[in-house]
Amino acid sequence: TFRNYPSAIMNRVAVTHAVRKRVNAGKTFVLGLWGPLLEKAISSKWLAYFIFPMGCVDKPLEPGVVRPTSDHSRTGLNDMCDLSGLRHSLDAYNEIASALLKGYFMHVTDVADAFPMLPMAPWLWPFYLFRFYLDDTSPKLSLMIQLFADFGGAGWPGEFKIFFADAVVGMARSELVLTLEMPIYVDDMGLIG
């Protein structure tokens, strides 16, 4: 069990809003108010589990909006991940440089809630527990569990690349729904024409 980082505590209202959004969308499940009884129940259910520390970072293009981050490096989970099939290079800058010619335009957008699209296998759930507040005034932390990917797991960028760039965009190209150049940088797309 780790304490949440000062960045999350200082931005409690914004982080709470983001957590509630995930809860309302069914991406995160609330297990209950944190205390000795819930801790005992969790310990009897799972032999191994992690309660990761929550932090947050500013969203560069959205002033005043923060993205909660999950520190799975601190718990050791990221070190236990086999990333051999998930490593890939990001070559979007070179792709843009070769396709964005004189007279062309590029429209850039991101995939909303990209990683939280990816459901987790239930055997991963015990390693995605965290504690935070459910509302702006609650004095007690609640224990929650991520059911879908978050921002902090080592394998999620590679998983998302396979799901989105390779599968979804690949299908759109094969069906000729997408015929323009579209460099992808993690969850940002630049459509060029």
Side-chain angles (χ1 to χ4, degrees):
T1 302
F2 297 93
R3 292 178 180 233
N4 291 321
Y5 293 116
S7 62
I9 303 302
M10 292 184 321
N11 291 287
R12 175 180 168 167
V13 172
V15 172
T16 297
H17 175 75
V19 168
R20 289 293 311 168
K21 183 178 172 189
R22 278 187 65 107
V23 169
N24 292 339
K27 308 289 183 177
T28 298
F29 186 75
V30 180
L31 296 174
L33 288 175
W34 180 248
L37 289 177
L38 185 53
E39 185 174 16
K40 184 176 179 183
I42 294 298
S43 296
S44 67
K45 170 80 175 152
W46 292 307
L47 295 175
Y49 65 91
F50 297 137
I51 298 177
F52 65 79
M54 175 79 72
C56 73
V57 295
D58 292 327
K59 283 188 155 186
L61 301 177
E62 298 177 54
V65 179
V66 298
R67 170 179 284 158
T69 58
S70 312
D71 190 351
H72 299 296
S73 292
R74 183 97 184 268
T75 63
L77 179 63
N78 282 347
D79 290 335
M80 290 186 263
C81 294
D82 178 6
L83 303 176
S84 56
L86 300 175
R87 296 193 190 285
H88 62 283
S89 61
L90 296 171
D91 199 34
Y93 293 123
N94 290 327
E95 293 173 30
I96 291 168
S98 67
L100 191 55
L101 305 173
K102 184 176 181 176
Y104 281 54
F105 295 89
M106 182 169 72
H107 175 77
V108 178
T109 189
D110 74 327
V111 178
D113 301 324
F115 293 178
M117 277 185 201
L118 304 171
M120 277 194 270
W123 62 267
L124 285 172
W125 294 348
F127 307 105
Y128 281 80
L129 296 165
F130 70 99
R131 297 175 300 162
F132 209 74
Y133 302 98
L134 277 180
D135 60 57
D136 299 340
T137 60
S138 175
K140 292 198 68 144
L141 295 167
S142 290
L143 182 67
M144 292 169 253
I145 188 168
Q146 307 282 44
L147 305 177
F148 287 71
D150 60 12
F151 296 92
W156 298 124
E159 292 282 347
F160 186 76
K161 188 254 185 204
I162 292 168
F163 165 72
F164 184 73
D166 296 348
V168 174
V169 172
M171 285 188 290
R173 286 196 186 288
S174 76
E175 294 298 313
L176 300 177
V177 173
L178 178 62
T179 58
L180 298 174
E181 293 293 326
M182 191 175 78
I184 299 171
Y185 187 85
V186 186
D187 66 344
D188 296 317
M189 304 166 291
L191 191 62
I192 299 172

